[in-house]
Amino acid sequence: MTGLERSRILVVDDEEAILETMTYTFQDDYEVFTSTSARRALEILDEHRPFAVVLTDQRMPDMSGVEFMAEVRRRHPHTVRMILTGFSDVEAIIQAINDGHVYAYVTKPWEPEQLKQLMKQAVAHHRLRAENEKLLADLQSANYMLRAVMDQLDTGAIAVDADGIVQAVNRPARKFFEIEG
């Protein structure tokens, strides 16, 4: 992600006034999408991916926030999920958090500065996760290349990491030590 690209967030609530407030709160920092319907929100997620964060109301007409988050998790597991609630759905929210479906929940009425800070943390969490996955993929690729290059050597070679753990053994060394694989 370049410095010019803004993270996308999606806010889902059946109350237009809430969506307007959220858009106003976050528009300077993020590309904000909104939906009054969980079903339409799923379409938006699919059409405009990737999203860093989805913030949804718990009580909506077509599906609950927890149900919606379960579907978001299934379709877009890397998107950070947060629930907004003004009702006492604490059991459902705690269950969603414990099951790993949501990063956080926010109670209505919320404090705008706290919500902005929480959103900033959620977006940073999303970026860190993406960066870690890229680094892991790069490391796996480098290890694959190391093994391929080592196997071209005529002499036995063993690659050991800084902790002394064997990371790769080439064909001549496997043959010498009578190691299968």
Side-chain angles (χ1 to χ4, degrees):
M1 174 177 289
T2 67
L4 299 176
E5 293 177 10
R6 296 189 319 158
S7 295
R8 286 188 185 109
I9 65 170
L10 172 62
V11 182
V12 186
D13 197 302
D14 59 332
E15 295 180 44
E16 285 285 347
I18 300 267
L19 296 179
E20 289 172 15
T21 299
M22 293 293 189
T23 299
Y24 178 78
T25 300
F26 297 121
Q27 67 187 0
D28 290 342
D29 299 313
Y30 311 106
E31 187 176 353
V32 181
F33 289 74
T34 61
S35 177
T36 56
S37 156
R39 297 195 194 290
R40 176 64 187 130
L42 291 170
E43 293 171 4
I44 291 170
L45 282 167
D46 292 341
E47 292 167 7
H48 300 282
R49 74 177 93 176
F51 280 84
V53 179
V54 173
L55 173 62
T56 186
D57 189 20
Q58 167 59 10
R59 294 243 175 147
M60 292 185 295
D62 51 351
M63 74 174 71
S64 74
V66 171
E67 293 167 333
F68 171 64
M69 288 301 182
E71 187 61 21
V72 170
R73 181 176 181 230
R74 188 183 72 74
R75 292 186 189 192
H76 304 278
H78 296 89
T79 299
V80 176
R81 297 165 300 277
M82 299 192 311
I83 293 182
L84 182 66
T85 184
F87 298 90
S88 40
D89 296 320
V90 176
E91 270 188 49
I93 302 300
I94 290 172
Q95 186 65 43
I97 291 170
N98 289 339
D99 290 347
H101 291 256
V102 298
Y103 175 78
Y105 80 95
V106 180
T107 55
K108 294 178 185 177
W110 63 87
E111 169 57 45
E113 286 307 311
Q114 286 177 327
L115 184 59
K116 286 175 89 169
Q117 187 62 33
L118 184 60
M119 183 63 71
K120 183 178 179 180
Q121 291 169 350
V123 169
H125 179 80
H126 179 264
R127 285 186 178 151
L128 185 60
R129 176 189 266 168
E131 186 177 319
N132 285 343
E133 287 181 6
K134 183 186 179 319
L135 290 171
L136 180 59
D138 290 349
L139 179 61
Q140 289 170 336
S141 177
N143 282 338
Y144 176 79
M145 292 299 293
L146 172 65
R147 287 186 187 99
V149 168
M150 284 181 57
D151 276 342
Q152 299 303 311
L153 299 173
D154 294 330
T155 306
I158 299 173
V160 180
D161 68 14
D163 295 323
I165 298 171
V166 174
Q167 295 297 314
V169 179
N170 74 349
R171 281 188 197 119
R174 288 193 304 264
K175 185 175 178 183
F176 178 81
F177 290 110
E178 298 177 351
I179 300 171
E180 292 184 27

